[in-house]
Amino acid sequence: MEDNTTTTGALRPTFLTVLCILTFLGSGWGIISAMINYSSADTAGEAAALVEEQMDEALDQMDDNEEVSEKTKGFMESFMGGVAESITPQNIRKMAIVSVLSSLLTLFGAIFMWKLNKSGFYMYIGGVLVLIVGTMLVYGGLLGAVAAGGSGFVGVLFIVLYGLNLKHMH
């Protein structure tokens, strides 16, 4: 049977235990994948060049399609061009550093909350903010906003869920 007590003898709620375990797994995976991304940034940059070629072909096909409005064509061309320009080995390395910092903060925040220490909640918030702001700064534009929004959604959801457990922390 699982022991939900902390070193101080206080009982940790099962919901908080589940959230912390999910964060341990997610943050651990974030650190590992960021290190892989950092070390393989040049290869990823080459793959991005292939993707850019495919996007150019898709844009050419869209230009030939008369059913697609000029406004839609312009938006897609701008978005795809921004994606192609943003996915560079330098940006992949920068994003890997941001991801490691964010994952470390959320991991340590979860460790503190595991011990029912409220300061871990604020550390977790800091980790989510590092990821959101860092993503927007590294990629910029619409791509940065979309990527930050995606990762920020999960982070904010967990902040709310952890916030429901603040009453159990000291």
Side-chain angles (χ1 to χ4, degrees):
M1 186 162 164
E2 181 182 336
D3 181 16
N4 274 1
T5 57
T6 64
T7 54
T8 60
L11 187 65
R12 182 184 333 99
T14 303
F15 185 52
L16 180 59
T17 300
V18 170
L19 287 174
C20 288
I21 290 171
L22 289 173
T23 300
F24 296 153
L25 294 171
S27 296
W29 177 250
I31 292 167
I32 291 168
S33 64
M35 291 189 312
I36 291 169
N37 288 343
Y38 189 90
S39 64
S40 63
D42 291 327
T43 305
E46 292 168 10
L50 294 174
V51 170
E52 184 175 1
E53 289 176 25
Q54 295 297 317
M55 286 192 300
D56 287 341
E57 288 179 25
L59 287 173
D60 289 342
Q61 289 176 358
M62 195 181 313
D63 283 340
D64 296 340
N65 187 345
E66 295 176 9
E67 294 178 13
V68 179
S69 72
E70 290 301 317
K71 190 175 185 178
T72 301
K73 289 177 187 177
F75 171 76
M76 290 304 293
E77 188 172 325
S78 173
F79 181 73
M80 289 182 173
V83 169
E85 290 174 12
S86 296
I87 302 177
T88 64
Q90 297 84 359
N91 281 352
I92 292 170
R93 284 188 191 95
K94 289 176 189 174
M95 198 59 227
I97 293 168
V98 167
S99 294
V100 166
L101 291 174
S102 170
S103 293
L104 285 171
L105 282 169
T106 56
L107 177 63
F108 287 122
I111 290 170
F112 277 65
M113 288 186 282
W114 180 268
K115 298 177 181 178
L116 299 179
N117 188 330
K118 193 181 282 191
S119 63
F121 177 71
Y122 303 107
M123 199 178 301
Y124 186 90
I125 291 173
V128 171
L129 288 175
V130 164
L131 185 61
I132 293 170
V133 172
T135 302
M136 289 175 26
L137 291 174
V138 169
Y139 291 121
L142 183 59
L143 176 63
V146 169
S151 57
F153 174 77
V154 174
V156 169
L157 175 65
F158 268 67
I159 288 170
V160 169
L161 295 174
Y162 276 125
L164 295 173
N165 286 281
L166 275 176
K167 61 187 171 217
H168 304 288
M169 299 179 211
H170 54 274

